[in-house]
Amino acid sequence: MRIIVMYFKILCIITVFGIQLPGFGQSKESDQKIDLSVNELPLSEVLKSITQKSGIEFTFSSSAIPVNELISINKKNISVKKAIQLVIKNLPITYDFLGGRCVLKRLNLTQTIKGKITDDNSSQPLIGVNVKVTTTRGEVLGAVTDLEGQYSISNVPIGRVTIEISFIGFETREYSDLLLTSAKQLVFNTSLNESDTELDEILIQAKRSNFSAVNRAAQISARSFSIEETKRYAASLGDPSRLATVFPGVTQSGNDLSNDITIRGNASKGMLWQLEGVEIPSPNHFSTVGGASGALSIFSSQVLSRSDFLTGAFPSQYGNALSGVFDVHFRNGNAEKREHTFQAGFLGFDVASEGPFIKGKKATYLFNYRYSTLGLVDQLGFSIADETKNNGFQDLSLKLYFPTKKLGTFSLFGIGGLSKFSFGDDEDDDTGQSYDVGMLGLKHQIPLSNKTALTSTLSFAGNKAKSGDATLQRFLTANDNINTYIKNNSSSYYRAKTVLQTKLSAKHTIEGGAVYSVLGYRFNRRQVLEESEDSQNPVQSYDQKGNTSTLQSYLNWSYNINSKFRLVTGVHGFYFNLNKETLLQPRASLRYSINNKHTVVFGYGEHSKLESLELYVGGQILNDGSIIQNNRDVKISKARHFVLGYDTALSKNLRFKVELYHQQLFDIPVIAGAQPNTAEGVYSSLLNDFEFDESFQNLPLSNSGTGTNTGIELTLEKQFSDGYYFMTNASFYDSKYKGGDGIKRNSRLNGNYSINALGGKEWMVGKAKKNILGLNSKILYAGNNRFFPLDLQESINQQQTIFDYDRAYKEQLPYYLRFDVQISYIKNNPKTTHELRLDIQNILARKNAASRFYDTETGKIEFNNQTGFFPILSYRIQF
């Protein structure tokens, strides 16, 4: 009798808690075959139907199980087990068979957060670091790092999470706005820096937020951006350049089809792109050799880690930059689980994968491949490259990570991209453009002690651009019979870089580094004459190849003076072997923390940027075969940046920031001896160009050009928390230049003002609140580019566009206004996550002006307009 009582007690426990023991597993009844055909029937009724057909009864709590969820299934001759699986496939339900009974239980979707915490200076793992995770529902979970600096937190409810990382004697770091989905573990690695202040020999914990730059030496005009921001901000398309247009001091450069940006009045060609600490050529499709922008970024949000964007007074680690810096990093793949992503949309499809090479080992891989579907976009009436055919691109991003026990860590990383378009049906048509770029780097990091780390990188990069046009650029040649020109330019970049970082004490950190670069080039231009019957043998106007080199070095010192003052100072050295120019450029920033809410920062820096090598080595082949090279001795373009900033924390997630800046640009190449108020006089400064204008290579240049950019930026920003975020900022600036004619004018990019307002809200939706509905919007109102006024009467007389150079850049195109909206829906299933995203650019369909011209048919001055209404739909699945 006692045995029978105990048996029933055990059976009750099993039934209540869903425990499955040997002997109480799946019943044979679950294998019997049934037909199940239901259409929009509540779950409770479907379960009754299965019971009637099989005899298996269901046990569940109607308050935990969505019994009113409508189910549609039409299957014949399937097992009861398979029928149940199909019924609950998209529901937060799991099941167990207990004898002839099926117990249904609510499935709370959870995921794992894990990572590694290291010392920012030595890259050594930190042991005993506290990691706290707070979910959107208020649950708090935690873990402590082990001997290898690793942590892992399981069963974290999906949704948005905040991670706080704290360790005695180190700064506390908090990261909000991290998305945790059911299909993908969140691998979050970061580093901590020793606290700035010391009191009674116990280091005080300071706190840094999402707003802070990853590079701690960047104290002013710098901020980090995350994977989520590149995807969430309306019209950003996962592109760092398009994302940056929402930041203060940054505007789009007058072309909606391009990710070209203006930073504080500077052209984007003055920008530096870095990947994993190494300079790279333009990582954009439809770009040019010597350019810094294009139509779409090669970088994929699938591989990005938190990265930095800087707009002025850069610390000494950054060289060859005049206007801004994108310091981009790739994350490591998941070391424990293989995860995959597929995405398809109007702009192409992506395939991404990550995981360990061998399960149980720590070496990982991560890659993303994308192939364009621009042909579909063209057929819908939207074109990335206007009035063209055969548009297309593809790209690859990857990172392989190999940690060792004694030799440090090795990582192989790279990008590659191919893009082209043509105006004709023939893919080899010479009236089009192609741009190919690739980069591969090998990085080694090793801690030399608890305070010192050495990082060494070898890399190779190259790019090639081909373009043809039926119309000639200005000043190309004096031969009026030329009908078409074709360019084939290519460059290669071999770099070796080493960085040594050491922390002398809690107050002093020293970092030094050097990078040697070998720059190869091949510049070729052919010209086809109108009277030439054999277009296969065009005139070779220029063909030059060779190589040169640069050597950059820097020393940076961070000094935590006391609890209120922090000084970062250093010097950057630059040597250009072609013209033997040597530069020593001082940099400094001083941060004064009035209290834990108010901060004042001052920054100063001298900076420089090489123009395209085509300017220095380019020239022209004369009829006798000799080559003219006018500009091998032209100096590097330079600038001085002065910035004063004030930052206040209005609350935990809300801040107000203001920055004043002044930039003095000098040694700018201009056309020597240009006459005032002529085409040469107006065009003569390279400050007005987005990329290198080949007309300059045929003319003698001097470094007499100058420029100034002065402005103020105001920002009110709430980082993502409580399901929403917003940012509004205003920039007011003045950009001037002097060309070869010595006249001070507005620069072409002097828009004078730019005002942004953006925000977004997310809702947890669905029966189990496991899905996310998001709405994001952005409004940009800005002063447009300046132009040459047209002389209407002379245009009528000559039946072509005639400019009035006396009033060059005194007038602006009509103001720029654009409203973008993004709607997203994320559906979390037990093993997969689905995401549908609709990005509607320029939802008001406003025709913003791009330029003006004289229309010979109407006899009036007309506008060329930019892109109108442009929707982009994408679908992504993670598994």
Side-chain angles (χ1 to χ4, degrees):
M1 185 68 180
R2 290 180 180 178
I3 294 175
I4 295 175
V5 172
M6 183 176 294
Y7 176 85
F8 278 103
K9 285 183 178 179
I10 294 174
L11 183 60
C12 291
I13 293 173
I14 292 172
T15 303
V16 173
F17 293 99
I19 301 172
Q20 183 171 313
L21 298 175
F24 295 94
Q26 179 179 314
S27 66
K28 293 182 180 179
E29 287 85 349
S30 65
D31 294 327
Q32 63 181 299
K33 303 295 184 180
I34 63 172
D35 295 337
L36 186 61
S37 179
V38 295
N39 183 33
E40 297 292 316
L41 197 66
L43 173 62
S44 57
E45 297 299 320
V46 176
L47 297 179
K48 289 180 182 179
S49 177
I50 296 176
T51 299
Q52 292 172 356
K53 295 175 182 293
S54 66
I56 292 179
E57 296 185 353
F58 293 88
T59 300
F60 56 87
S61 169
S62 59
S63 62
I65 302 301
V67 292
N68 295 319
E69 191 77 21
L70 299 180
I71 308 297
S72 295
I73 294 177
N74 184 17
K75 294 290 184 179
K76 293 183 178 181
N77 196 33
I78 60 173
S79 67
V80 174
K81 176 185 174 182
K82 183 64 176 178
I84 294 173
Q85 291 174 345
L86 292 173
V87 168
I88 67 173
K89 179 179 179 181
N90 294 316
L91 299 178
I93 300 174
T94 186
Y95 71 95
D96 284 316
F97 281 102
L98 300 174
R101 184 179 298 274
C102 181
V103 179
L104 301 181
K105 298 180 293 184
R106 183 183 184 86
L107 175 64
N108 293 316
L109 295 181
T110 62
Q111 190 53 273
T112 298
I113 299 177
K114 62 185 180 182
K116 184 176 183 179
I117 312 299
T118 58
D119 185 290
D120 189 46
N121 299 286
S122 66
S123 298
Q124 291 274 33
L126 293 177
I127 306 168
V129 175
N130 292 304
V131 181
K132 183 175 73 174
V133 173
T134 305
T135 71
T136 52
R137 298 183 180 93
E139 300 104 326
V140 178
L141 301 94
V144 176
T145 57
D146 59 19
L147 294 176
E148 296 182 346
Q150 305 275 0
Y151 71 92
S152 180
I153 305 174
S154 303
N155 300 318
V156 182
I158 61 173
R160 296 287 175 183
V161 297
T162 297
I163 298 180
E164 183 179 290
I165 301 171
S166 60
F167 191 43
I168 294 177
F170 285 73
E171 290 180 330
T172 295
R173 298 219 64 170
E174 183 176 284
Y175 302 88
S176 62
D177 185 25
L178 301 174
L179 179 62
L180 188 64
T181 63
S182 59
K184 195 175 184 65
Q185 293 182 345
L186 177 57
V187 181
F188 190 82
N189 303 319
T190 191
S191 59
L192 297 182
N193 198 287
E194 272 192 271
S195 178
D196 292 348
T197 59
E198 192 171 342
L199 181 62
D200 295 334
E201 299 182 353
I202 298 177
L203 292 173
I204 306 299
Q205 295 184 46
K207 195 167 186 176
R208 304 184 76 209
S209 69
N210 288 17
F211 297 125
S212 305
V214 176
N215 182 353
R216 199 165 179 268
Q219 298 194 115
I220 193 167
S221 298
R223 64 160 294 156
S224 64
F225 61 92
S226 66
I227 303 171
E228 285 306 309
E229 287 175 310
T230 61
K231 294 189 295 183
R232 179 194 299 120
Y233 291 168
S236 62
L237 303 180
D239 186 334
S241 288
R242 294 179 185 270
L243 163 73
T245 60
V246 306
F247 298 146
V250 184
T251 58
Q252 208 157 14
S253 296
N255 184 359
D256 291 344
L257 298 175
S258 171
N259 62 10
D260 197 287
I261 58 175
T262 297
I263 302 175
R264 293 180 171 177
N266 295 286
S268 64
K269 67 182 178 66
M271 190 167 57
L272 167 68
W273 283 99
Q274 280 197 172
L275 176 59
E276 295 291 318
V278 178
E279 181 179 350
I280 60 174
S282 174
N284 300 286
H285 292 297
F286 306 105
S287 189
T288 60
V289 173
S293 60
L296 295 165
S297 174
I298 291 173
F299 295 133
S300 167
S301 60
Q302 309 290 351
V303 300
L304 290 178
S305 179
R306 184 170 287 274
S307 304
D308 284 343
F309 176 59
L310 300 88
T311 56
F314 328 122
S316 60
Q317 291 96 327
Y318 302 108
N320 200 28
L322 205 63
S323 62
V325 176
F326 271 106
D327 191 3
V328 178
H329 298 274
F330 285 173
R331 61 186 179 86
N332 297 332
N334 193 332
E336 297 179 7
K337 179 184 177 184
R338 292 194 176 102
E339 299 170 327
H340 316 285
T341 301
F342 175 77
Q343 178 171 308
F346 281 177
L347 295 182
F349 69 81
D350 295 55
V351 178
S353 182
E354 64 178 287
F357 283 102
I358 302 174
K359 287 189 176 182
K361 303 296 183 179
K362 295 181 179 179
T364 65
Y365 70 89
L366 169 67
F367 77 87
N368 184 90
Y369 171 74
R370 176 170 56 176
Y371 185 84
S372 79
T373 51
L374 292 183
L376 173 61
V377 176
D378 290 340
Q379 292 175 16
L380 293 173
F382 307 104
S383 181
I384 293 297
D386 198 22
E387 300 300 327
T388 62
K389 299 180 180 180
N390 301 317
N391 295 328
F393 67 86
Q394 54 185 312
D395 54 59
L396 174 71
S397 301
L398 65 88
K399 184 175 183 181
L400 311 181
Y401 178 70
F402 306 94
T404 67
K405 290 184 177 180
K406 296 183 179 180
L407 298 178
T409 62
F410 296 84
S411 57
L412 184 70
F413 58 94
I415 58 171
L418 308 173
S419 57
K420 63 181 178 181
F421 68 81
S422 64
F423 294 95
D425 294 322
D426 184 0
E427 292 188 1
D428 296 323
D429 190 273
D430 283 333
T431 57
Q433 177 178 314
S434 65
Y435 178 73
D436 303 337
V437 62
M439 182 270 185
L440 193 65
L442 177 64
K443 178 190 285 188
H444 175 234
Q445 293 179 294
I446 185 169
L448 303 180
S449 70
N450 291 333
K451 299 291 185 180
T452 304
L454 178 68
T455 303
S456 302
T457 308
L458 296 174
S459 70
F460 166 76
N463 58 356
K464 179 180 180 181
K466 177 182 178 181
S467 63
D469 201 339
T471 58
L472 293 175
Q473 294 183 3
R474 51 189 170 71
F475 312 137
L476 181 62
T477 178
N479 191 334
D480 294 330
N481 294 322
I482 291 179
N483 183 50
T484 303
Y485 75 90
I486 304 161
K487 291 197 303 180
N488 272 290
N489 290 346
S490 60
S491 296
S492 61
Y493 311 86
Y494 295 87
R495 304 188 195 276
K497 182 177 182 178
T498 184
V499 175
L500 181 68
Q501 187 179 47
T502 183
K503 184 175 252 328
L504 304 178
S505 68
K507 290 183 175 291
H508 302 277
T509 301
I510 301 292
E511 179 179 326
V515 54
Y516 178 71
S517 304
V518 177
L519 314 177
Y521 57 86
R522 170 75 183 271
F523 302 121
N524 175 275
R525 185 174 70 228
R526 295 174 293 153
Q527 299 170 351
V528 180
L529 304 182
E530 284 185 343
E531 64 270 19
S532 174
E533 295 181 358
D534 185 5
S535 61
Q536 301 301 315
N537 294 293
V539 176
Q540 197 86 339
S541 67
Y542 189 73
D543 189 8
Q544 180 74 9
K545 63 180 180 179
N547 63 75
T548 184
S549 62
T550 63
L551 176 63
Q552 298 180 65
S553 60
Y554 73 90
L555 184 64
N556 193 79
W557 171 44
S558 298
Y559 176 30
N560 304 319
I561 301 172
N562 55 37
S563 62
K564 293 186 177 295
F565 289 94
R566 183 171 188 265
L567 174 68
V568 177
T569 187
V571 63
H572 188 95
F574 197 109
Y575 173 72
F576 185 28
N577 189 43
L578 186 71
N579 62 11
K580 311 302 181 185
E581 184 175 8
T582 302
L583 303 173
L584 288 177
Q585 301 170 325
R587 319 274 177 87
S589 64
L590 179 63
R591 184 182 187 89
Y592 172 44
S593 299
I594 302 172
N595 52 40
N596 61 354
K597 290 187 176 181
H598 304 278
T599 304
V600 176
V601 187
F602 172 75
Y604 168 78
E606 294 187 11
H607 311 279
S608 60
K609 174 70 175 177
L610 283 174
E611 300 291 342
S612 171
L613 285 179
E614 196 173 357
L615 180 141
Y616 305 102
V617 303
Q620 189 172 17
I621 300 176
L622 301 182
N623 292 332
D624 61 2
S626 61
I627 299 175
I628 294 179
Q629 290 180 308
N630 296 304
N631 302 310
R632 292 182 69 91
D633 295 326
V634 169
K635 296 180 180 179
I636 304 170
S637 301
K638 305 175 185 68
R640 299 184 186 95
H641 291 190
F642 303 84
V643 189
L644 178 64
Y646 167 72
D647 196 325
T648 180
L650 302 178
S651 66
K652 179 182 178 180
N653 297 308
L654 181 66
R655 72 166 183 171
F656 174 74
K657 182 179 181 180
V658 59
E659 284 193 358
L660 297 97
Y661 64 88
H662 177 68
Q663 299 178 352
Q664 299 172 344
L665 296 98
F666 60 100
D667 281 351
I668 307 301
V670 297
I671 298 175
Q675 296 300 308
N677 300 324
T678 62
E680 286 188 359
V682 173
Y683 280 114
S684 64
S685 176
L686 267 69
L687 290 179
N688 287 318
D689 289 307
F690 299 126
E691 58 192 44
F692 174 66
D693 185 340
E694 68 179 41
S695 63
F696 284 95
Q697 74 181 23
N698 296 335
L699 300 170
L701 303 178
S702 72
N703 287 102
S704 60
T706 61
T708 59
N709 296 307
T710 305
I712 182 172
E713 300 164 359
L714 303 97
T715 304
L716 178 66
E717 180 175 8
K718 178 190 178 296
Q719 68 182 28
F720 191 97
S721 62
D722 301 322
Y724 74 100
Y725 73 96
F726 67 81
M727 176 168 63
T728 180
N729 58 63
S731 303
F732 304 95
Y733 62 99
D734 187 46
S735 179
K736 296 287 197 298
Y737 81 100
K738 282 186 180 179
D741 58 2
I743 297 178
K744 187 176 184 179
R745 297 183 176 89
N746 291 304
S747 76
R748 181 163 64 93
L749 304 173
N750 190 16
N752 291 133
Y753 64 92
S754 176
I755 300 172
N756 273 294
L758 66 150
K761 172 68 177 175
E762 287 185 352
W763 297 269
M764 301 298 293
V765 297
K767 293 287 185 180
K769 303 295 183 183
K770 63 184 179 69
N771 304 323
I772 302 175
L773 176 65
L775 177 63
N776 300 279
S777 63
K778 180 184 73 174
I779 299 176
L780 171 60
Y781 173 64
N784 212 328
N785 290 342
R786 294 179 177 270
F787 61 91
F788 301 149
L790 275 62
D791 188 326
L792 179 58
Q793 188 57 53
E794 282 300 312
S795 297
I796 293 174
N797 293 341
Q798 300 186 35
Q799 284 299 291
Q800 61 179 329
T801 300
I802 302 297
F803 296 110
D804 182 357
Y805 294 110
D806 289 340
R807 297 187 295 124
Y809 299 136
K810 289 185 178 181
E811 298 182 21
Q812 286 180 268
L813 294 168
Y815 66 86
Y816 185 97
L817 177 64
R818 179 165 149 172
F819 181 32
D820 303 316
V821 174
Q822 181 194 95
I823 303 171
S824 62
Y825 181 70
I826 298 174
K827 182 176 177 59
N828 286 294
N829 292 330
K831 294 184 179 181
T832 60
T833 298
H834 304 264
E835 181 177 352
L836 190 64
R837 192 179 297 269
L838 177 61
D839 223 315
I840 306 176
Q841 301 188 40
N842 196 5
I843 194 170
L844 300 179
R846 173 182 165 82
K847 297 289 186 178
N848 289 299
S851 62
R852 301 203 316 169
F853 68 98
Y854 171 71
D855 191 328
T856 56
E857 294 183 1
T858 64
K860 297 179 180 179
I861 297 175
E862 306 286 355
F863 286 101
N864 286 314
N865 293 321
Q866 301 198 51
T867 307
F869 179 82
F870 191 4
I872 299 176
L873 181 67
S874 64
Y875 164 75
R876 181 170 67 163
I877 179 172
Q878 295 177 325
F879 55 96

